[in-house]
């Protein structure tokens, strides 16, 4: 029988393969000389977050320069803390040994809520028992608020979800907004009334800062509320991606608040409803707080147009920004410190005030 080239090649390869296996077997370590298996790496336990403080922006550094929304919080709770970079978040998070954590999330609904989502999903944090402090600056209608005030949200309402059209395409004096069906679960959130009651109980008498420039600016407005000194109050926070200005837009915000069965609109801001929706999907809203300080009115005085108010001349701004961001922290830290100091009472949920 004549062998084929293929069978000849196989016969030639077989002894070579056996020799290679023999050599490999000789080179293989014995049981006594084989290296011991590596010990499993210990995984750090996640940080149990008692309170998470969410700010939207910082002007420069976290400490030592002009303060934005985050600096006063950082200097109280996280000075010298190691930043924790979170994939998908705008800025790192910070935590202290008492379980108080915080971060700058970014301005606007998408920016802030995407950062919050990334932090909530990071396995290095345990948010199962966390209270959330959404904190920042805002605007207020002169009929209901003043520069330097600090306000706890009772309701968070989305200003944008719906249908809008130009005023000239409407009947005179009628609203130019209609809610869109299907968004009922996304467009408003009632925050825990017991938590709001606790916030007012603990912070209503907080001494607040004021500025000479703000005192002077308030006198441009005839409203009694606008002329008040800074105070701590409550009301509906309206979340919209636009800095709306003018009495018409302010009236529309109030219309939406009432349309949705919320309290009076008193604060205009850009993030809280979106952040709360993200938290709700993971942990509910019972432990969410919205805290805002008013740094501007949502409309001009009777002696200026809306465009003049929107783009003021040099020296014509409200003033009081530095005092307001400090006021927010003065009020908010009272609540944070109380929760942490009384954690056994707060851990399972909001106690009755």
């Amino acid at each position: 029988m004549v062998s084929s080239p293929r069978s000849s090649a196989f016969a030639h390869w077989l002894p070579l393969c056996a020799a290679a296996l023999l050599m490999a077997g000789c080179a293989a370590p014995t049981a006594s000389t084989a290296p011991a298996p590596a010990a499993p790496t210990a995984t750090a336990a996640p940080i149990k977050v008692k309170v998470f403080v969410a700010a939207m922006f910082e002007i420069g550094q976290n400490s030592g320069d002009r303060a934005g929304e985050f600096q006063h919080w950082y200097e109280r709770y996280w000075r010298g803390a190691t930043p924790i970079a979170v994939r998908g978040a705008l800025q790192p998070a910070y935590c202290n040994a008492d379980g108080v954590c915080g971060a700058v999330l970014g301005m606007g609904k998408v920016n802030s809520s995407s950062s919050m989502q990334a932090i909530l999903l990071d396995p290095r944090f345990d948010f199962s028992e966390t209270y959330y402090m959404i904190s920042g600056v805002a605007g207020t209608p002169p009929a209901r608020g003043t520069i330097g005030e600090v306000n706890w949200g009772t309701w968070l309402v989305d200003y944008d979800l719906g249908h809008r059209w130009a005023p000239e395409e409407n009947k005179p004096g009628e609203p130019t907004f209609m809610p869109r069906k299907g968004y009922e679960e996304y467009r408003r959130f009632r925050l825990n009334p017991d938590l709001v009651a606790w916030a007012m109980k603990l912070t209503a008498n907080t001494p607040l800062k004021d500025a000479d420039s703000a005192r002077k600016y308030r006198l441009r407005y005839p409203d009694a509320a606008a002329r008040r000194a800074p105070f701590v109050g409550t009301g509906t926070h309206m979340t919209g991606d636009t800095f709306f200005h003018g009495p018409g837009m302010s009236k529309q915000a109030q219309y939406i608040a009432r349309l949705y069965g919320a309290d009076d609109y008193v604060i205009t801001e850009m993030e809280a409803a979106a952040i709360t929706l993200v938290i709700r999907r993971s942990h509910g809203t019972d432990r969410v707080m919205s805290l805002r300080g008013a740094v501007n009115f949502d409309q001009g005085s009777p002696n200026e147009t809306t465009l003049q108010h929107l783009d003021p001349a040099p020296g014509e701004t409200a003033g009081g920004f530095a005092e307001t961001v400090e006021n927010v922290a003065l009020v908010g830290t009272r609540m944070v410190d109380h929760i942490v100091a009384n954690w056994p009472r707060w851990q399972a949920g909001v106690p009755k005030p």
Side-chain angles (χ1 to χ4, degrees):
M1 176 177 171
V2 179
S3 64
S4 68
R6 181 177 178 183
S7 60
S8 298
F10 181 79
H12 176 71
W13 172 82
L14 188 59
L16 293 176
C17 180
L21 289 172
L22 181 61
M23 292 178 64
C26 292
T30 63
S32 59
T33 61
T41 303
T43 302
I47 299 167
K48 292 193 71 66
V49 183
K50 295 175 183 173
V51 182
F52 184 87
V53 180
M56 309 309 135
F57 72 89
E58 185 49 60
I59 295 171
Q61 302 301 312
N62 286 337
S63 182
D65 58 1
R66 185 187 178 200
E69 292 181 344
F70 192 60
Q71 187 168 132
H72 291 294
W73 295 100
Y74 177 87
E75 291 180 342
R76 182 175 183 88
Y77 295 115
W78 310 299
R79 190 190 293 271
T82 301
I84 305 170
V86 176
R87 183 178 182 182
L90 180 68
Q91 296 288 339
Y94 297 87
C95 293
N96 68 11
D98 292 326
V100 180
C101 300
V104 173
L105 302 184
M107 294 179 64
K109 291 190 210 171
V110 174
N111 211 2
S112 60
S113 61
S114 60
S115 291
M116 189 74 253
Q117 179 85 316
I119 294 169
L120 285 174
L121 295 178
D122 193 304
R124 293 172 293 175
F125 304 101
D126 179 355
F127 287 102
S128 60
E129 298 173 332
T130 302
Y131 290 86
Y132 301 87
M133 179 79 71
I134 303 170
S135 165
V137 297
T140 188
R144 292 172 177 80
T146 192
I147 305 300
E149 77 158 285
V150 179
N151 194 279
W152 293 101
T154 52
W155 294 78
L156 307 178
V157 172
D158 191 293
Y159 179 78
D160 301 313
L161 287 175
H163 301 274
R164 278 190 173 84
W165 51 95
E168 62 269 20
E169 297 165 359
N170 201 45
K171 294 180 180 179
E174 290 193 359
T176 58
F177 174 85
M178 181 174 64
R180 183 174 175 82
K181 292 182 179 179
Y183 293 151
E184 289 80 7
E185 296 301 312
Y186 311 143
R187 66 193 184 199
R188 69 167 187 176
F189 305 91
R190 187 183 187 188
L191 299 185
N192 188 332
D194 287 343
L195 191 53
V196 176
W198 266 109
M200 286 300 292
K201 179 179 178 180
L202 294 170
T203 69
N205 65 348
T206 306
L208 301 180
K209 307 282 185 177
D210 202 359
D212 290 338
S213 57
R215 293 186 188 97
K216 183 178 178 181
Y217 187 86
R218 293 185 192 109
L219 297 178
R220 300 182 180 192
Y221 292 80
D223 310 84
R227 294 188 170 206
R228 287 184 65 179
F231 64 96
V232 180
T234 64
T236 291
H237 294 187
M238 187 70 59
T239 301
D241 268 329
T242 56
F243 288 96
F244 62 78
H245 292 261
M249 293 282 114
S250 182
K251 183 179 179 181
Q252 188 168 102
Q254 185 65 270
Y255 168 77
I256 294 171
R258 289 174 177 168
L259 186 69
Y260 291 168
D263 295 336
D264 273 358
Y265 147 67
V266 296
I267 288 292
T268 165
E269 44 83 15
M270 302 175 68
E271 298 90 10
I275 295 171
T276 299
L277 176 58
V278 168
I279 297 170
R280 177 184 178 178
R281 288 180 173 173
S282 299
H283 302 288
T285 62
D286 277 353
R287 301 188 183 204
V288 174
M289 296 168 277
S290 182
L291 181 66
R292 295 282 177 161
V295 293
N296 64 271
F297 292 117
D298 69 357
Q299 58 194 274
S301 71
N303 297 320
E304 65 181 338
T305 67
T306 295
L307 288 180
Q308 287 171 332
H309 174 71
L310 177 61
D311 186 21
E316 296 298 313
T317 55
F321 180 89
E323 290 76 13
T324 303
V325 293
E326 187 173 357
N327 286 345
V328 172
L330 287 170
V331 171
T333 54
R334 284 192 170 193
M335 191 66 182
V336 173
D337 291 347
H338 178 86
I339 292 173
V340 173
N342 298 276
W343 186 243
R345 188 179 179 195
W346 285 78
Q347 185 174 6
V350 180
K352 287 295 180 181

